[in-house]
Amino acid sequence: MIVIGTRPEAVKMAPVYHELRSRAEFDVTLCVTAQHREMLDQMLTALSLTPDIDLDIMKSRQTLNGVVSAVLTGMSGVLEKYKPDVLLVHGDTATTFAASLAAFHAGITVGHVEAGLRSWDKSAPFPEEIYRTMVDDIADIYFAPTELSKANLLKEGKPEAAIRVTGNTAIDALKLTVRPDYTSPDLDWAQDSRLILLTAHRHENLGDKMLSVFRAIQRIVESRPDVKVIYPVHLNPVVREAASSVFGEGNDRVRLIEPLGVIDFHNYLKRSYLVLTDSGGIQEEAPSLNVPVLVTRDVTERPEGITAGTLKLVGTDEETVYSSIAELLNNRELRDKMANSPNPYGDGEASKRIADVLSKKQ
Ligand code: UD1
Ligand code: UDP
């Protein structure tokens, strides 16, 4: 059984789902908690994922306690009924943590995809750093995307025999989505300028930090006539209020749009001059698409991209964000150097390795 709840889990588990389903030895059940509703459904359709079970738990302005308890209760019934041999969970979300805990209570083997990432800071990403660590304490099989994530697991005493370095399934997903002939009205609009793609949703950035990032972008747009910004706004009402307080409805060079389907998003990303984001998954995808990433966080659990040169941590201070964007706009060579640094997150074959590990034929 695969369980997913949010947009990024769907993107990164879709290749695993399709790989397992393509092998006759697996009987795959897909359970969605719908911790995200619209943003998950958008991904399910685009990635041909058909849930067998839907817990439909999302509430507007939901709390962490609310999500964790709804998933724990829901999954307890599901696991009792289906009794899967293995529950596959992904990453660090509330769905992932609560579903793993329910499996642990039921004595069901847990396989953790994207295991071992650490920022070593329990306040960032919050609550995800601790959720991921707790899932690793519960898990029986570890799919570590990089050698560094494997080393983190070994440092915590996890048995080496239970860990396989697979690469990140996010890179597998790009094979399904990026198209050379892709066009869209937004990209036509941005064609004559340098496009900055913006996303924001991290819990610890809600409030003043997010506002200061948005103000930096607004100043860039005001001072640079050659720049246009596309910002697909997360459906969290707190994010939407912050976005409209700085950008209003948008203007002739800032487009506020609804969350993009993943095929659109990956193709928009590919055409961007740079991406400014606090997302986890985008830090992994952009290097594969040769786009530099300015990360609006103070720490990251994905430091491989910083070492490789594709990511730069810029925090959320308005002045620093402004000058970091300006630097890449002023220095095309620096921008291209970041863009062309090696992608450290995988080769697009992660889901095959995961299926091989799960195979009884091995
Ligand atoms: C969650 C994950 C985070 C992940 C992010 C991906 C946790 C603790 N956080 O954070 O790790 O990076 O998803 O985007 O699991 N909403 C809708 N419709 C949707 C989705 C969300 O209306 O389709 C609104 C709801 O009001 C909801 C709010 O957004 O209360 C926040 O959603 P939630 O899943 O609780 O947190 P995220 O910030 O999205
Ligand atoms: N994404 C998308 N549409 C958007 C924004 C993001 O399809 O409008 C995709 C993105 O390519 C990546 C995933 O959603 O695969 C990242 O989700 P998010 O940033 O919400 O979560 P995180 O990765 O931070 O957990």
Side-chain angles (χ1 to χ4, degrees):
M1 178 179 287
I2 292 174
V3 61
I4 56 177
T6 66
R7 164 168 79 186
E9 293 164 72
V11 174
K12 291 169 164 183
M13 287 303 256
V16 178
Y17 171 82
H18 290 300
E19 181 63 32
L20 293 176
R21 296 234 322 169
S22 74
R23 301 189 189 193
E25 66 176 303
F26 296 110
D27 176 10
V28 186
T29 306
L30 179 63
C31 175
V32 302
T33 65
Q35 173 182 336
H36 284 175
R37 184 72 277 173
E38 301 86 343
M39 283 163 52
L40 179 74
D41 290 345
Q42 210 178 7
M43 300 296 132
L44 298 179
T45 310
L47 297 166
S48 309
L49 297 171
T50 311
D52 303 291
I53 305 150
D54 189 334
L55 298 179
D56 198 22
I57 66 148
M58 195 194 88
K59 297 202 168 21
S60 184
R61 296 180 195 262
Q62 61 203 4
T63 62
L64 296 173
N65 289 329
V67 175
V68 168
S69 44
V71 174
L72 190 58
T73 309
M75 285 308 294
S76 134
V78 167
L79 295 175
E80 202 173 310
K81 180 170 170 199
Y82 285 80
K83 297 186 174 45
D85 296 319
V86 180
L87 183 72
L88 287 182
V89 297
H90 182 276
D92 58 7
T93 69
T95 285
T96 302
F97 166 57
S100 306
L101 186 57
F104 171 63
H105 290 160
I108 289 169
T109 299
V110 173
H112 190 193
V113 179
E114 207 184 71
L117 282 67
R118 297 286 183 272
S119 69
W120 308 110
D121 176 347
K122 71 178 177 187
S123 68
F126 174 90
E128 291 86 355
E129 173 71 4
I130 292 303
Y131 284 174
R132 194 189 299 268
T133 308
M134 292 195 290
V135 175
D136 284 331
D137 283 342
I138 289 170
D140 306 283
I141 311 169
Y142 303 94
F143 302 106
T146 66
E147 290 294 340
L148 179 63
S149 41
K150 175 179 176 181
N152 292 338
L153 292 165
L154 291 175
K155 195 150 71 178
E156 292 174 355
K158 307 297 188 284
E160 183 159 18
I163 307 169
R164 174 79 195 264
V165 176
T166 58
N168 198 303
T169 59
I171 312 303
D172 305 24
L174 295 172
K175 285 192 203 158
L176 308 172
T177 54
V178 176
R179 295 170 189 171
D181 56 348
Y182 179 88
T183 57
S184 84
D186 287 330
L187 291 182
D188 291 344
W189 166 78
Q191 206 175 18
D192 60 348
S193 50
R194 291 194 278 184
L195 173 61
I196 298 179
L197 191 60
L198 169 66
T199 83
H201 75 275
R202 286 253 85 72
H203 199 281
E204 64 272 18
N205 282 353
L206 296 175
D208 289 345
K209 291 182 171 183
M210 200 170 278
L211 289 170
S212 88
V213 170
F214 293 164
R215 280 195 296 267
I217 281 275
Q218 183 62 22
R219 278 175 51 203
I220 287 283
V221 169
E222 282 162 10
S223 59
R224 312 287 302 223
D226 58 333
V227 168
K228 284 183 176 165
V229 175
I230 296 181
Y231 173 17
V233 189
H234 192 287
L235 292 181
N236 186 339
V238 184
V239 174
R240 293 174 92 82
E241 284 151 17
S244 61
S245 79
V246 175
F247 300 119
E249 303 277 290
N251 55 53
D252 62 344
R253 281 191 295 115
V254 180
R255 272 200 180 177
L256 267 52
I257 59 173
E258 292 304 313
L260 285 165
V262 67
I263 293 170
D264 300 304
F265 189 83
H266 286 169
N267 285 284
Y268 280 41
L269 188 54
K270 176 121 192 82
R271 301 285 183 82
S272 299
Y273 186 85
L274 66 89
V275 57
L276 185 73
T277 188
D278 58 14
S279 162
I282 296 168
Q283 293 178 58
E284 293 149 350
E285 294 165 349
S288 258
L289 301 175
N290 299 111
V291 181
V293 191
L294 297 180
V295 184
T296 49
R297 302 190 189 184
D298 298 323
V299 289
T300 180
E301 66 283 28
R302 296 171 166 89
E304 296 90 339
I306 295 176
T307 310
T310 66
L311 310 182
K312 187 176 169 199
L313 280 183
V314 298
T316 52
D317 171 66
E318 181 180 331
E319 223 34 67
T320 313
V321 174
Y322 176 86
S323 58
S324 305
I325 301 172
E327 186 184 26
L328 291 192
L329 291 169
N330 293 337
N331 189 342
R332 173 100 214 185
E333 216 174 296
L334 180 64
R335 181 267 171 205
D336 289 347
K337 186 162 176 268
M338 276 182 85
N340 296 319
S341 302
N343 149 44
Y345 294 114
D347 61 0
E349 301 289 326
S351 40
K352 288 197 174 60
R353 295 186 187 103
I354 291 168
D356 288 346
V357 169
L358 295 171
S359 171
K360 290 203 172 111
K361 292 182 192 147
Q362 283 256 310

